[in-house]
């Protein structure tokens, strides 16, 4: 039986490893002659290998002969170990092993020369070549790594548990990159606790998920995305011990040269600042080629500037970690509204009919799995707000691959890509997914975020008149008139009626069939969904009408399969068909709502003062200001535009004309004041308080001239409130003026 051994070309063809091994023969010959020279000087006859300690102490030449002989003997002792580790490690690391071999040979020369230096006592000059321990240890480690392979699945040493742990840590994204290269994702948040799993045993199972040498021989290479963020944990959760960068660097060294060489791009996401500085420094010094392959990004929004992240399979743990770096994810030309709060809630299919949006189709299909629909309190349990926000962004962004997972039940949907056909998520049973409670909460949130609620506030009076508390008002015919698509007097919009008959009522009726397990009766379902179906301007009015809407839902769910569905023209098979994956690939993704402007990324602002961009040019600032009104250059034109002022009246002349009864008055005289003008007012409850005020005099026709007249005017009701107006004191006047 013939045995074929394939070695790298650097091993034999270029003679790197073999040349390093052959150099030890030359070194051995040199050491033999080196010892012979000292034997001749010390006159030590053969076959004596060493001289005694007494002779060495008495003669310096004999002492140096012992040192030279020991350096040669120590070389011979280390030579077998060196050659074995060199030849074995050279099978996988030929260049590095050959370099370590050359380093070891040079250190042996300095070791022998330093050992025989007479100025060092006790042979301490041998420390000149003590660096040979570095290549020896390195070759020993690399030789062990050469034989460190993942055992085949048929082997009894193969661990299924370690393979399951490694699957979500390193996996291949379904779609390739823009350069048509496979993308592998390394998720640091998926690493288990180091106190629970031995990372040294896990390492070969993780690296086995990378492409092997046979796959890369005829390929172009691959790209790797490393999400370095840690798993989110609460205050009560102990911190998980994860592998450090030393373990990651060791894993990189274990990789074959072909795997490292075919790595085209390495994206480091969510890494710490010191890691970025360290990687930049060492990659620039060690290998500029490696430096060009590394891309540092701080968030998913930054990663979207390099690759389309909507094509990636991103686990929830990465989304949660990204929330610590950015509030939302912005992808150029992709971010917008497709599912939530759009102008057209039910998209139009290629056939021209209305269809369910993708978010309702996928989440509803996951809820109606036999195991999930029997979960107790199905729609009562709330999900985390941050998870709902992540999913809402994902569906609005058009994320192609979203995994739903509850215990061992996993649901994914294929995506059609031009040039690749229908693409599925491989090994979806190991992927991270979103839970059942998230799916139910997402359905309710979709209804709550509709631009126009199912029951608008304008329909409240109609609902109160039509559906009173009596049972006679709830009839199938009345519900049909309210929700039927052909109804002419329904206060609900056409989209609202379609949503009710195509999705909400069939969904709730199906869930109510399993009420013995999930405890979700029609009444409980109505209570859960009624608040999401109305959003009026007056919360008080919403509170008053919510009981009526709950009764409408409860009656509709109860009688859905006993005649109401047929009356509304919605058979059971239509609902099942609407949940299937559309045959037309255009209908598998919702269109971007162009009527709503896409959200633009806003600068991250924490508590404090908003900083203004002082580097902005003055021209940009002036462009943002509103234009000023035109200015007139001629001051005379301004004077002409102004209206003329009224003529001034001579007060003394006016008094004389009035006293002589002249009729040449130019202005109507002012009316007679019934009280003093209000310069300030003093409020009092007793008229007696007015008597203590100082006397004031008012000059003018018909005005009180003394304090007594002022009190009389108040008693006659000329001043309706009990108040006294205090005026400034008059200037002393002569008797003629009075």
């Amino acid at each position: 039986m013939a045995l074929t051994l394939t070695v790298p070309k650097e091993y034999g063809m270029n003679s790197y490893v073999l040349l390093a091994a052959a150099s030890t023969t030359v070194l051995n010959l040199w050491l033999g002659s080196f010892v012979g020279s000292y034997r001749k000087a010390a006159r030590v006859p053969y076959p004596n290998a060493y001289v005694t300690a007494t002779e060495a102490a008495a003669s310096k030449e004999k002492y140096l002969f012992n040192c030279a002989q020991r350096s040669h003997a120590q070389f011979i002792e280390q030579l077998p170990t060196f050659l074995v580790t060199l030849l074995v490690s050279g099978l996988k690391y030929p260049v590095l092993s050959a370099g370590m071999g050359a380093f070891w040979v040079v250190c042996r020369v300095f070791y022998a020369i330093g050992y025989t230096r007479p100025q060092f006592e006790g042979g301490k000059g041998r420390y000149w070549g003590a660096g040979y321990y570095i290549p020896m240890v390195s070759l020993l480690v690399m030789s062990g790594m050469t034989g460190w392979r993942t055992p085949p699945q048929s082997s009894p040493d193969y661990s299924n548990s370690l393979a399951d742990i490694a699957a979500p840590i390193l996996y291949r994204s379904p779609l390739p990159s823009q350069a048509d290269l496979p993308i592998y994702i390394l998720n640091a948040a998926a690493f288990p606790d180091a106190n629970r799993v031995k990372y040294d045993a896990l390492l070969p199972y993780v690296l086995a998920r990378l492409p092997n040498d046979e796959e890369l021989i005829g390929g172009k290479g691959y790209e790797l995305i490393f999400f370095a963020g840690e798993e989110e944990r609460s205050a009560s959760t102990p911190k998980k011990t994860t592998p450090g960068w030393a373990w990651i660097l060791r894993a990189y060294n274990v990789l074959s040269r072909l795997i490292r060489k075919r790595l085209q791009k390495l994206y480091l996401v969510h890494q710490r600042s010191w890691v970025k500085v360290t990687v930049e420094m060492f990659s620039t010094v060690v290998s500029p080629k490696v430096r060009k392959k590394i891309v540092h990004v701080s968030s998913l929004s930054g990663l979207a500037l390099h690759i389309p992240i909507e094509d990636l399979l991103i686990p929830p743990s990465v989304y949660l970690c990204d929330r610590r770096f950015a509030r939302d994810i912005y992808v150029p030309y992709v971010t917008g509204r497709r599912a939530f709060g759009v102008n057209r809630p039910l998209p139009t299919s290629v056939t021209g009919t209305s269809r369910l949006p993708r978010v309702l189709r996928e989440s509803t299909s996951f809820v109606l799995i036999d195991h999930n629909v029997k979960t107790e309190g199905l729609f009562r349990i709330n999900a985390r707000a941050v998870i709902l926000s992540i999913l809402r962004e994902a569906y609005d962004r058009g994320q192609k691959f979203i995994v739903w997972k509850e215990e061992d039940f996993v649901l994914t949907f294929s995506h059609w890509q031009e040039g690749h056909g229908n693409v599925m998520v491989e090994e979806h049973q190991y992927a991270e997914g979103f839970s059942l409670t998230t799916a139910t909460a997402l359905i309710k949130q979709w209804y709550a975020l509709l631009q126009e609620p199912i029951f608008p506030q304008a329909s409240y009076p109609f609902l109160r008149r039509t559906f009173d508390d009596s049972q006679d008002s709830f009839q199938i015919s009345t519900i049909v008139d309210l929700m039927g698509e052909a109804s002419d007097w329904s206060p609900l919009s056409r989209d609202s009626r379609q949503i009710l008959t195509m999705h909400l009522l069939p969904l709730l009726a199906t869930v109510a069939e399993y009420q013995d397990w999930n405890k979700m009766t029609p009444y409980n379902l109505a209570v859960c969904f009624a608040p999401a179906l109305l959003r009026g301007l007056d919360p008080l009015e919403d509170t008053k009408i919510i009981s009526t809407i709950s009764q409408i839902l409860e009656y509709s769910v109860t009688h859905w399969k006993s005649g109401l569905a047929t009356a509304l023209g919605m058979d059971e098979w239509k609902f099942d068909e609407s949940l299937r994956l559309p045959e037309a690939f255009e209908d598998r993704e919702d269109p971007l709502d162009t009527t709503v402007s896409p959200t633009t990324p806003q600068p991250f602002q924490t508590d404090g003062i908003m900083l203004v961009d002082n580097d902005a040019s003055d021209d940009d600032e002036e462009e943002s200001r509103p234009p000023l009104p035109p200015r007139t250059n001629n001051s005379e034109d301004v004077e002409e535009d102004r209206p003329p002022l009224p003529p001034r009246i001579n007060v003394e002349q006016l008094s004389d004309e009035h006293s002589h009864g002249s009729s040449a008055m130019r202005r109507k005289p002012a009316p007679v004041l019934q009280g003093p003008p209000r310069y300030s007012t003093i409020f009092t409850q007793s008229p007696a308080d007015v008597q203590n005020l100082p006397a004031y005099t008012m000059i003018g026709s018909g005005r009180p001239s003394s304090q007594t007249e002022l009190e009389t005017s108040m008693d006659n009701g000329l001043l309706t409130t009990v108040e006294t107006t205090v005026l400034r004191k008059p200037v002393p006047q002569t008797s003629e003026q009075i």
Side-chain angles (χ1 to χ4, degrees):
M1 180 178 178
L3 176 63
T4 302
L5 180 63
T6 303
V7 297
K9 64 179 182 179
E10 294 86 356
Y11 190 93
M13 185 177 298
N14 294 337
S15 303
Y16 293 158
V17 178
L18 296 182
L19 183 62
S23 64
T24 59
T25 304
V26 179
L27 178 61
N28 188 31
L29 294 175
W30 178 80
L31 287 176
S33 63
F34 182 74
V35 176
S37 63
Y38 280 95
R39 178 183 290 274
K40 184 177 180 180
R43 298 182 179 181
V44 179
Y46 288 100
N48 296 325
Y50 296 95
V51 298
T52 62
T54 303
E55 294 175 339
S59 174
K60 182 179 180 181
E61 289 77 7
K62 293 182 178 181
Y63 166 75
L64 295 178
F65 164 73
N66 278 356
C67 292
Q69 184 75 325
R70 178 56 195 156
S71 65
H72 190 194
Q74 209 268 352
F75 163 76
I76 297 175
E77 294 171 0
Q78 298 288 336
L79 183 59
T81 304
F82 168 74
L83 289 177
V84 172
T85 55
L86 174 65
L87 297 176
V88 173
S89 61
L91 295 173
K92 190 174 184 180
Y93 313 101
V95 178
L96 184 59
S97 299
M100 289 296 174
F103 185 31
W104 185 85
V105 171
V106 173
C107 288
R108 297 306 311 186
V109 173
F110 282 97
Y111 184 90
I113 295 175
Y115 214 148
T116 56
R117 295 301 91 188
Q119 64 268 26
F120 297 105
E121 297 182 357
K124 293 182 179 180
R126 66 184 185 275
Y127 294 148
W128 285 7
Y132 78 91
Y133 280 106
I134 297 176
M136 282 294 296
V137 175
S138 301
L139 291 173
L140 183 62
V141 172
M142 287 189 293
S143 61
M145 294 299 181
T146 302
W148 194 357
R149 297 283 186 179
T150 305
Q153 295 186 3
S154 58
S155 173
D157 297 332
Y158 186 83
S159 175
N160 291 320
S161 60
L162 292 178
D164 295 344
I165 295 174
I169 296 176
L170 181 61
Y171 59 92
R172 180 174 177 175
S173 191
L175 287 176
S177 65
Q178 292 178 322
D180 201 19
L181 299 177
I183 299 177
Y184 289 85
I185 296 177
L186 178 60
N187 183 17
F191 274 98
D193 194 346
N195 298 325
R196 194 170 51 88
V197 178
K198 294 182 179 180
Y199 281 171
D200 292 339
L202 181 63
L203 179 59
Y205 292 89
V206 175
L207 299 182
R209 303 187 62 81
L210 287 173
N212 53 37
D213 295 347
E214 297 178 357
E215 296 175 353
L216 295 176
I217 287 176
K220 301 178 182 178
Y222 67 99
E223 297 181 2
L224 180 64
I225 302 175
F226 179 33
F227 293 111
E230 298 180 355
E231 182 183 13
E232 186 187 31
R233 61 186 184 91
S234 60
S236 60
T237 304
K239 185 177 182 180
K240 183 173 62 177
T241 304
T242 56
W245 281 96
W247 183 87
I248 297 176
L249 293 176
R250 185 173 58 164
Y252 177 77
N253 292 327
V254 172
L255 297 176
S256 65
R257 183 175 180 272
L258 185 59
I259 294 179
R260 287 182 290 178
K261 185 177 181 180
R262 290 299 177 89
L263 177 62
Q264 302 300 323
K265 282 292 183 180
L266 174 60
Y267 299 95
L268 299 179
V269 190
H270 301 152
Q271 83 279 15
R272 299 181 183 273
S273 300
W274 68 269
V275 175
K276 179 180 178 180
V277 173
T278 305
V279 172
E280 286 287 326
M281 180 178 62
F282 280 97
S283 61
T284 304
V285 175
V286 176
S287 176
K289 293 182 179 180
V290 177
R291 167 64 187 85
K292 295 179 180 179
K293 297 180 179 180
I294 300 177
V295 179
H296 299 273
V297 290
S298 59
S299 63
L300 291 177
S301 299
L303 182 63
L305 300 178
H306 301 275
I307 59 176
I309 65 172
E310 64 273 12
D311 296 343
L312 302 177
L313 176 59
I314 304 177
S317 57
V318 174
Y319 284 121
L320 291 174
C321 180
D322 189 73
R323 275 296 190 269
R324 300 200 294 265
F325 296 88
R327 293 181 179 179
D328 50 13
I329 302 172
Y330 178 77
V331 182
Y333 308 107
V334 174
T335 297
R337 290 186 181 180
R338 285 180 170 84
F340 293 85
V342 295
N343 186 42
R344 178 71 175 166
L346 296 179
T348 303
S349 63
V350 293
T351 59
T353 59
S354 298
R355 62 173 178 86
L356 293 181
R358 178 191 170 198
V359 57
L360 290 186
R361 187 182 70 245
E362 294 185 358
S363 57
T364 304
S365 299
F366 183 63
V367 170
L368 295 182
I369 294 178
D370 186 66
H371 174 270
N372 295 339
V373 76
K374 294 181 180 179
T375 303
E376 185 175 352
L378 188 59
F379 284 97
R380 287 185 176 274
I381 304 175
N382 294 325
R384 295 180 57 186
V386 62
I387 296 293
L388 291 178
S389 176
I390 289 171
L391 263 180
R392 188 172 67 247
E393 280 186 357
Y395 277 107
D396 279 338
R397 185 171 58 249
Q399 196 73 26
K400 294 180 175 60
F401 302 101
I402 296 177
V403 180
W404 296 96
K405 188 174 184 179
E406 183 69 19
E407 297 180 358
D408 296 333
F409 296 89
V410 184
L411 181 63
T412 59
F413 296 87
S414 63
H415 174 77
W416 190 90
Q417 184 77 6
E418 186 176 359
H420 300 276
N422 288 325
V423 182
M424 291 289 297
V425 178
E426 299 178 356
E427 298 181 330
H428 57 269
Q429 66 273 17
Y430 302 114
E432 295 184 26
F434 296 95
S435 63
L436 176 62
T437 56
T438 306
T440 56
L442 193 67
I443 294 174
K444 292 190 293 185
Q445 190 172 75
W446 185 87
Y447 280 95
L449 294 179
L450 288 173
Q451 280 194 8
E452 181 183 0
I454 299 296
F455 294 94
Q457 189 171 357
S459 65
Y460 294 174
F462 172 82
L463 296 178
R464 292 192 186 96
R465 293 192 306 267
T466 306
F467 301 96
D468 51 19
D469 295 335
S470 62
Q471 295 295 331
D472 297 337
S473 60
F474 291 92
Q475 301 291 335
I476 291 182
S477 59
T478 311
I479 300 297
V480 171
D481 292 338
L482 176 65
M483 302 181 184
E485 188 173 353
S487 178
D488 296 331
W489 56 274
S490 175
L492 307 183
S493 64
R494 184 175 180 272
D495 289 338
S496 299
R497 286 175 280 168
Q498 282 187 334
I499 294 172
L500 287 172
T501 56
M502 290 180 58
H503 179 260
L504 184 59
L505 295 182
L507 169 63
L508 299 185
T510 305
V511 173
E513 291 181 353
Y514 299 90
Q515 57 183 302
D516 295 338
W517 292 274
N518 55 34
K519 310 301 180 186
M520 298 303 295
T521 62
Y523 172 77
N524 293 334
L525 292 171
V527 171
C528 292
F529 271 89
L533 305 182
L534 67 164
R535 190 177 63 253
L537 300 177
D538 189 358
L540 184 59
E541 292 295 326
D542 293 346
T543 306
K544 295 178 181 179
I545 200 63
I546 194 171
S547 61
T548 303
I549 296 177
S550 299
Q551 293 177 9
I552 295 174
L553 287 180
E554 180 183 1
Y555 181 85
S556 302
V557 172
T558 304
H559 296 81
W560 178 255
K561 295 191 176 182
S562 60
L564 180 58
T566 305
L568 290 173
M570 187 66 185
D571 297 329
E572 186 176 357
W573 64 269
K574 291 184 179 180
F575 177 63
D576 296 337
E577 185 179 3
S578 65
L579 298 179
R580 295 194 185 99
L581 188 66
E583 296 181 359
F585 62 89
E586 296 89 351
D587 293 340
R588 298 183 183 182
E589 186 59 67
D590 300 330
L592 184 64
D593 191 357
T594 57
T595 60
V596 182
S597 59
T599 57
T600 56
Q602 299 295 333
F604 184 80
Q605 173 68 20
T606 56
D607 295 337
I609 301 174
M610 177 68 74
L611 299 180
V612 180
D613 186 8
N614 295 326
D615 296 333
S617 62
D618 297 337
D619 297 337
D620 297 339
E621 185 177 358
E622 291 179 359
E623 290 179 0
S624 61
R625 295 176 180 176
L628 295 175
R631 297 181 179 180
T632 55
N633 298 326
N634 192 356
S635 59
E636 297 179 358
D637 297 340
V638 177
E639 295 293 338
E640 293 178 358
D641 294 338
R642 293 178 181 177
L645 296 176
R648 297 184 178 182
I649 301 175
N650 191 342
V651 179
E652 296 180 355
Q653 181 180 358
L654 181 63
S655 300
D656 296 340
E657 292 176 355
H658 180 70
S659 60
H660 292 84
S662 176
S663 60
M665 293 183 61
R666 298 182 180 180
R667 183 180 296 179
K668 184 178 180 179
V672 179
L673 295 178
Q674 302 298 329
R678 296 189 177 184
Y679 293 97
S680 60
T681 303
I682 298 177
F683 294 90
T684 178
Q685 296 181 354
S686 175
D689 297 336
V690 182
Q691 299 178 359
N692 299 326
L693 296 175
Y696 290 89
T697 303
M698 300 182 64
I699 303 174
S701 176
R703 300 179 182 180
S705 58
S706 63
Q707 180 69 22
T708 305
E709 293 182 358
L710 179 60
E711 294 177 359
T712 304
S713 300
M714 292 178 59
D715 294 339
N716 293 334
L718 297 178
L719 296 179
T720 56
T721 57
V722 183
E723 58 181 17
T724 302
T725 302
V726 180
L727 306 176
R728 57 182 177 83
K729 289 185 178 182
V731 180
Q733 303 177 4
T734 60
S735 58
E736 297 178 356
Q737 293 176 338
I738 296 176

